[in-house]
Amino acid sequence: MTASSDHQQQRFDALLRPHLDALYRTAYRFTGSAADAEDLVQDVMVKLYPKTQELREVEDLQPWLNRVLYRRFVD
């Protein structure tokens, strides 16, 4: 891992870690299954990782993340 990607990983973790429990609970309500909820949250995280810089500019991250999670669930 390069220093740049390590730094991006740290920024991504700092931004999203506080929201993971809430995202999981929401995903569980959508799916009704622990395994499916974990998969849905992981899928969203993988999708968002390349957009770490953009995430830093989102003013209220939790509602925004919930919308992304819902859209991914519907897809």
Side-chain angles (χ1 to χ4, degrees), residues 4-49:
S4 176
S5 64
D6 189 42
H7 186 65
Q8 179 178 353
Q9 178 67 44
Q10 290 172 356
R11 285 192 318 246
F12 186 78
D13 287 346
L15 283 169
L16 294 178
R17 187 169 304 278
H19 302 284
L20 286 179
D21 287 341
L23 282 177
Y24 172 79
R25 287 191 304 272
T26 302
Y28 186 85
R29 284 195 303 270
F30 291 159
T31 65
S33 159
D36 289 341
E38 290 172 6
D39 288 346
L40 180 58
V41 171
Q42 181 178 0
D43 194 41
V44 167
M45 294 300 106
V46 168
K47 180 180 177 183
L48 292 178
Y49 182 74

Side-chain angles (χ1 to χ4, degrees), residues 44 47-48 63-73:
V44 167
K47 180 180 177 183
L48 292 178
W64 187 87
L65 289 170
N66 285 336
R67 286 190 301 273
V68 171
L69 185 76
Y70 176 74
R71 289 181 187 132
R72 191 67 191 146
F73 171 69

Side-chain angles (χ1 to χ4, degrees), residues 48-65:
L48 292 178
Y49 182 74
K51 300 176 182 191
T52 302
Q53 185 61 34
E54 295 171 40
L55 293 173
R56 296 175 70 195
E57 298 170 11
V58 175
E59 189 171 319
D60 197 357
L61 199 53
Q62 187 65 52
W64 187 87
L65 289 170

